[in-house]
Amino acid sequence: MRKIKGLRWYMIGLVTIGTVLGYLTRNAIAVAAPTLEAQLHITTQQYSYIVAAYSACYTVMQPVAGYILDILGTKVGYAVFAIMWAIFCAATALANSWGGLAIARAAVGAAEAAMIPAGLKASSEWFPAKERSIAVGYFNVGSSIGAMVAPPLVVWAIVAHSWQMAFIITGVLSLIWALCWLVFYKHPRQQKKLSDSERDYILSGQESHHQIDNGKKMSAGQILRNRQFWGIALPRFLAEPAWGTFNAWIPLFMFKAYGFNLKEIAMFAWMPMLFADLGCIVGGYLPPLFQRLFGVNLIVSRKLVVTMGAVLMIAPGTIGLFTSPYVAIALLCVGGFAHQALSGALITLSSDVFGRNEVATANGLTGMAAWTASTMFALVVGALADTLGFSPLFAALAVFDLLGALVIWTVLKNKPAAELEQTPAAPAAEPVRS
Ligand SMILES: O=C[C@H](O)[C@@H](O)[C@@H](O)[C@H](O)C(=O)O
């Protein structure tokens, strides 16, 4: 059978398209919101319930989705969740009240919770450890691309047809991708189109906790009791509010702080997302570069990227020192880059320390911690932005990331979680007292 050269990069491209569609279906509701409020007579508070329904289900379902992915495997597991999110997204068109929309979006959020754990599991299977962060950067960039594609596509569907058509189209696109995933995704060991040399390069470059299936799977309890989990989950808890803030609040910040009109918002508010894309990609290449430059090991190279991102997050933290809106946008661009660079390293670390049978469960648990913080911080922004202003909130994000960097250097050890699992050696028997 003809072999396909560099097949692993096609595989991560397939994963990236899945992340693009996941974010496209996620952001469709935000783009359609003004139309939904007008046509279904929904209040802004009722819209916030619809958004909260998605976030709550996405947050709590990440470890569950991760566990199911570890049990069913990446191919079947991700296909099941993607088909579900496609159907639930299209079913959003049936809603005729805010309650119906909230139920549909809750279902979409629950199904899309598999997106990041599945992306990491696929990266763990198809890449050697030294390229893993690059693979994560590529599939994670789909989150920013999907967020950028949503406005033009959804607005076109609404203007050309109806708001219902926007959800039907994004649902159908997701279903087509899910079927392609089922057809094309296979583990490197089963993929006949993979050359022997590339298969050896991939598998021999992985740590033993990915190469060898010892049949053991750390339980959620064991993961939660392992310090390696907290060495990743706490920095993700501290970092994720930045992502939620950059995604949800920049247009309103530019309007409230600098009086930007819609045209100015359309001209500038997307720029931090573009730099977030750059942060995903560049951030993925930094760990192997740091390993070559500084001779550090894999986990330390990720810690250096997290630290670099945390220091760069000081830039948006200084927004309050300037009056120019253009300086503010530039500082937010640095923040978008910094966040996605450090976030990619944090996502990758779940695979550096947890094995093939629990990597998605562990990543899902860190993602639940991340999104819990993001949801909490969104409520803080909503409560304080009008009184305190946004500048102190951006400064808080910088402090959170610096704290996260401190945690990762002090809590996360440079070894697989399983090595910390071994029950401590039985204490030496007391000498029999004569
Ligand atoms: O911090 C942000 C992440 O890198 C982002 O790209 C996503 O992975 C996000 O966590 C999500 O779960 O959708």
Side-chain angles (χ1 to χ4, degrees):
M1 178 176 288
R2 193 173 71 82
K3 307 297 183 184
I4 300 174
K5 191 169 166 30
L7 187 54
R8 65 188 187 280
W9 300 107
Y10 291 97
M11 285 296 106
I12 205 61
L14 186 59
V15 180
T16 303
I17 295 169
T19 316
V20 170
L21 289 166
Y23 260 75
L24 175 58
T25 50
R26 174 186 301 187
N27 289 37
I29 192 79
V31 181
T35 308
L36 294 169
E37 288 201 353
Q39 293 191 17
L40 295 183
H41 311 297
I42 292 172
T43 65
T44 301
Q45 186 173 41
Q46 288 168 339
Y47 173 68
S48 73
Y49 298 152
I50 296 164
V51 173
Y54 176 97
S55 293
C57 290
Y58 184 83
T59 301
V60 300
M61 270 297 289
Q62 285 190 67
V64 177
Y67 180 83
I68 294 170
L69 283 162
D70 283 329
I71 296 292
L72 292 183
T74 315
K75 176 188 178 75
V76 173
Y78 200 7
V80 166
F81 281 103
I83 289 168
M84 286 199 301
W85 97 49
I87 293 169
F88 295 143
C89 179
T92 306
L94 301 173
N96 57 18
S97 68
W98 75 265
L101 286 170
I103 292 167
R105 300 309 292 177
V108 170
E112 286 191 349
M115 186 168 53
I116 304 306
L120 180 64
K121 197 170 173 73
S123 303
S124 310
E125 293 173 351
W126 270 91
F127 285 83
K130 66 181 180 182
E131 291 180 348
R132 187 176 295 144
S133 61
I134 299 170
V136 170
Y138 279 121
F139 88 73
N140 204 22
V141 80
S143 55
S144 319
I145 295 172
M148 290 166 75
V149 167
L153 175 62
V154 171
V155 167
W156 168 80
I158 292 173
V159 170
H161 299 279
S162 63
W163 66 263
Q164 291 90 338
M165 187 53 75
F167 292 103
I168 291 169
I169 290 173
T170 46
V172 167
L173 289 174
S174 298
L175 185 62
I176 292 168
W177 177 84
L179 298 176
C180 291
W181 176 263
L182 264 180
V183 169
F184 295 114
Y185 188 84
K186 292 183 180 64
H187 190 284
R189 288 194 182 87
Q190 282 89 44
Q191 183 50 270
K192 293 183 175 41
K193 292 185 172 20
L194 181 64
S195 67
D196 292 342
S197 59
E198 187 175 5
R199 182 180 294 106
D200 294 344
Y201 174 75
I202 292 168
L203 300 180
S204 63
Q206 294 174 357
E207 310 91 326
S208 59
H209 60 264
H210 285 296
Q211 279 180 352
I212 301 156
D213 183 0
N214 59 16
K216 290 183 189 151
K217 175 178 171 31
M218 284 171 74
S219 67
Q222 285 176 302
I223 294 170
L224 290 168
R225 288 191 298 272
N226 195 296
R227 69 179 288 157
Q228 298 297 74
F229 168 76
W230 295 103
I232 301 168
L234 288 175
R236 281 205 73 184
F237 179 89
L238 290 161
E240 197 67 15
W243 186 239
T245 304
F246 292 155
N247 264 284
W249 295 94
I250 287 179
L252 197 59
F253 164 59
M254 299 311 291
F255 167 67
K256 285 179 174 285
Y258 305 103
F260 266 30
N261 59 36
L262 271 181
K263 181 171 172 290
E264 288 167 315
I265 286 171
M267 281 174 67
F268 296 101
W270 55 273
M271 289 180 175
M273 281 297 122
L274 178 66
F275 279 81
D277 288 342
L278 284 176
C280 284
I281 304 300
V282 172
Y285 282 94
L286 287 178
L289 175 67
F290 288 164
Q291 282 191 280
R292 283 199 302 274
L293 285 180
F294 309 127
V296 295
N297 76 25
L298 190 78
I299 291 177
V300 171
S301 71
R302 315 304 193 201
K303 293 181 180 180
L304 288 172
V305 175
V306 172
T307 307
M308 176 207 76
V311 171
L312 286 176
M313 275 297 289
I314 294 171
T318 64
I319 271 180
L321 304 178
F322 305 95
T323 55
S324 161
Y326 307 109
V327 171
I329 281 289
L331 293 171
L332 287 170
C333 288
V334 174
F337 176 91
H339 173 77
Q340 285 294 59
L342 73 86
S343 183
L346 288 173
I347 290 170
T348 306
L349 274 165
S350 290
S351 177
D352 298 335
V353 301
F354 289 100
R356 55 188 287 165
N357 294 330
E358 66 274 343
V359 59
T361 308
N363 176 262
L365 285 164
T366 65
M368 181 169 70
W371 272 70
T372 300
S374 181
T375 305
M376 288 161 59
F377 194 74
L379 298 173
V380 170
V381 176
L384 299 180
D386 282 343
T387 50
L388 273 186
F390 283 85
S391 308
L393 300 166
F394 287 129
L397 295 176
V399 171
F400 292 162
D401 277 338
L402 291 168
L403 283 176
L406 184 64
V407 167
I408 206 166
W409 285 104
T410 52
V411 177
L412 189 70
K413 287 187 169 300
N414 303 336
K415 55 176 63 177
E419 282 186 29
L420 303 178
E421 270 303 296
Q422 272 135 19
T423 47
E430 287 290 313
V432 176
R433 298 194 185 290
S434 55

